[in-house]
């Protein structure tokens, strides 16, 4: 089994920002200000075009590199896609699966998240499975139904060993890129429900599956979110684009 990731896990998702040159500049600046990597896991989810550059720029630092999406097939006539095998070959260690923009902008289904999780694990990539409810679902009292359905759909075929290799990210859709942040109590509530479901499958080992919070995490709110019950890390979009802001979050 892969080594568990030390917590907290601080993950940056650059989305569609930073080609190779600006990625290199970010890495140069980040390593000047980043906190020590012992006792925490720092991950950068770069655009696929910049993964090799980030890997080279950070080769002497214990920082994981992830891709933001994969196709579930290893290769083939899938123009514009990339596979887990290719991401691994480029030096990626992690992959985001089911990010809300994949689900809600590109129509990714629960079934496809399951295929992607399986493909990632088959190639030794750690999947970071993202789940989260829309504001309408939340207002309708469907938070638990939605996030547990997404968790179940993506993991139901996994055996215990593989399930323990996952990271989960709870990202309420209404908090992503909006400046709206869930309160630490909201995060703890959702994380507790996810942990409860993991416990049904893994017993005490459920405590070893890190659950990250994502949604408008900034340097000034990271500390209180990370202190919330069952929050073992953060997934950061906008604020991960600035090396100083990301370093402050990593140090929180
Ligand atoms: C994300 O991209 O996963 C995210 C949480 O974005 P932001 O921090 O910008 O809300």
């Amino acid at each position: 089994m892969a080594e568990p990731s030390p917590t907290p896990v601080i993950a940056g998702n650059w989305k569609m920002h930073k080609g190779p040159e600006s990625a290199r500049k970010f890495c140069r600046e980040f390593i000047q200000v980043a906190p020590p990597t012992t006792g925490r896991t720092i991950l950068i989810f770069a655009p696929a075009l910049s993964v090799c550059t980030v890997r080279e720029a950070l080769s002497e630092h214990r920082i994981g590199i992830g891709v933001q999406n994969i196709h579930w097939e290893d290769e083939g006539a899938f123009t514009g896609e990339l596979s887990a095998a290719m991401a691994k070959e480029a030096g990626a260690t992690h992959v985001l699966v089911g990010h809300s923009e994949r689900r809600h902008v590109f129509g990714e289904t629960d079934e496809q998240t399951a295929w992607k999780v399986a493909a990632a694990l088959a190639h030794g990539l750690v999947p970071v499975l993202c789940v989260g409810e829309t504001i309408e679902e939340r207002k309708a009292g469907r938070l638990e139904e939605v996030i547990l359905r997404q968790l179940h759909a993506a993991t139901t075929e996994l055996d215990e060993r593989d399930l323990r290799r996952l990271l989960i990210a709870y990202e309420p859709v209404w908090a992503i890129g909006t400046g709206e942040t869930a309160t630490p109590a909201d995060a703890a509530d959702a994380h507790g429900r996810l942990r409860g479901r993991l416990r049904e499958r893994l017993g005490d080992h459920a405590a070893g599956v890190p659950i990250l919070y994502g949604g408008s995490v900034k340097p000034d709110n990271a500390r209180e979110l990370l202190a919330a019950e069952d929050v073992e890390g953060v997934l950061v979009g906008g604020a991960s684009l600035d090396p100083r802001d990301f370093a402050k979050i990593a140090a929180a």
Side-chain angles (χ1 to χ4, degrees), residues 182-201:
T183 63
D186 290 335
D189 172 49
H191 286 220
R193 296 172 201 239
L194 292 164
R195 183 87 59 209
R197 181 52 54 88
L198 290 172
R199 208 173 287 120
E200 287 169 17
R201 303 246 335 248

Side-chain angles (χ1 to χ4, degrees), residues 25-34 42 44 63 243 246-247 250:
K25 182 166 180 287
F26 174 98
C27 293
R28 254 198 318 262
E29 292 174 14
F30 182 64
I31 53 189
Q32 303 297 320
V33 288
I42 300 179
I44 293 178
I63 295 175
F246 191 50

